[in-house]
Amino acid sequence: MGRPLSLPDLSRPVLEVAPRLLGAHLAAGGCTVRLTEVEAYAGQDDPGSHAFRGRTPRTQVMFGPAGHAYVYFTYGMHWCMNVVTGVDGEASAVLLRAGEVVEGLDVAQARRPGVRERDLCRGPARLCRTLGISGVHDGVDLLAAGSPVRLLPGAAVDPAGVRTGPRVGVAGDGAVAPWRFWSDGEPTVSPYRAAVRRVRRST
DNA sequence: GCCAGGATGTTCT
DNA sequence: GAACATCCTGGCA
């Protein structure tokens, strides 16, 4: 702590930007969230990225300039939000996995009745739901003053408290880059759940 | 408390 | 047709 409160240059490489987004604030839907867990997706270099197989209508925002929101719909009912990083055309982004509500808690709890405060933004889909983020926010400029979703400077995080981990499920030939970043000791960071192949109900 | 399984629609092969 | 960067509910310890 104690470092000046400022946002990282989002046009830098995603693995550099991701840890520096911890502690930043995300304001939307009358609430402000302090980011506590993020995950980097490096586009062409990450088999787990939506953009790995190339540009599609769905992922075209990831290929655009940094500072925009890439919001996608998954599992039939959940929205997840990324912050596009890197230079134009690189398709890298940072998935916002978890956060803590620091402003507008009453609004958040009204939107999510019965949910404990620490669970409001514990998980990428819950974070979006609590903030009211959906597909209409796909591609918005997070740095524009008039945007419905804004990324703002927050509380600087002690680099020593930033923990990293390789993503399980992504096969790496040799060393695997630490894709996930989270603030140590944050109750809003959920334990990692190994990817399980879902068995679909037979038709 | 933890674990297993179902839900639900868009995207891509 | 199958996968999917997930969440919620119910059952059991």
Side-chain angles (χ1 to χ4, degrees), chain A residues 155-174:
Chain A
V157 173
D158 182 0
V162 175
R163 304 199 61 182
T164 69
R167 287 200 334 183
V168 180
V170 176
D173 195 14

Side-chain angles (χ1 to χ4, degrees), chain A residues 136-158:
Chain A
V136 301
H137 301 112
D138 187 35
V140 303
D141 187 348
L142 297 171
L143 305 181
S147 274
V149 184
R150 285 184 299 161
L151 192 62
L152 304 167
V157 173
D158 182 0

Side-chain angles (χ1 to χ4, degrees), chain A residues 1-199:
Chain A
M1 307 264 196
R3 288 158 51 202
L5 308 183
S6 62
L7 286 175
D9 181 355
L10 298 179
S11 65
R12 307 280 298 227
V14 63
L15 289 178
E16 179 180 327
V17 173
R20 298 189 58 190
L21 283 177
L22 293 175
H25 285 180
L26 185 72
C31 311
T32 300
V33 163
R34 179 174 59 89
L35 300 178
T36 58
E37 183 183 6
V38 299
E39 186 163 318
Y41 284 85
Q44 300 106 325
D45 298 328
D46 182 4
S49 172
H50 289 165
F52 179 67
R53 296 175 193 159
R55 179 180 164 282
T56 68
R58 182 196 204 185
T59 60
Q60 68 178 27
V61 173
M62 286 182 76
F63 287 82
H68 288 247
Y70 166 48
V71 183
Y72 67 91
F73 194 63
T74 189
Y75 287 100
M77 61 186 101
H78 298 305
W79 294 99
C80 297
M81 175 181 160
N82 299 250
V83 176
V84 177
T85 67
V87 298
D88 197 349
E90 265 195 1
S92 59
V94 178
L95 172 68
L96 308 183
R97 292 196 64 91
E100 176 193 4
V101 178
V102 294
E103 203 175 302
L105 180 60
D106 53 338
V107 175
Q109 289 180 325
R111 189 176 285 136
R112 304 280 291 145
V115 178
R116 288 184 297 181
E117 180 177 346
R118 51 172 280 182
D119 291 333
L120 283 171
C121 295
R122 190 159 78 154
R126 293 185 212 181
L127 187 148
C128 285
R129 187 180 296 184
T130 295
L131 292 179
I133 295 172
S134 68
V136 301
H137 301 112
D138 187 35
V140 303
D141 187 348
L142 297 171
L143 305 181
S147 274
V149 184
R150 285 184 299 161
L151 192 62
L152 304 167
V157 173
D158 182 0
V162 175
R163 304 199 61 182
T164 69
R167 287 200 334 183
V168 180
V170 176
D173 195 14
V176 177
W179 301 101
R180 301 198 310 124
F181 303 87
W182 67 93
S183 298
D184 195 14
E186 288 287 346
T188 53
V189 177
S190 59
Y192 179 77
R193 291 179 59 179
V196 181
R197 176 170 295 182
R198 211 169 43 82
V199 180

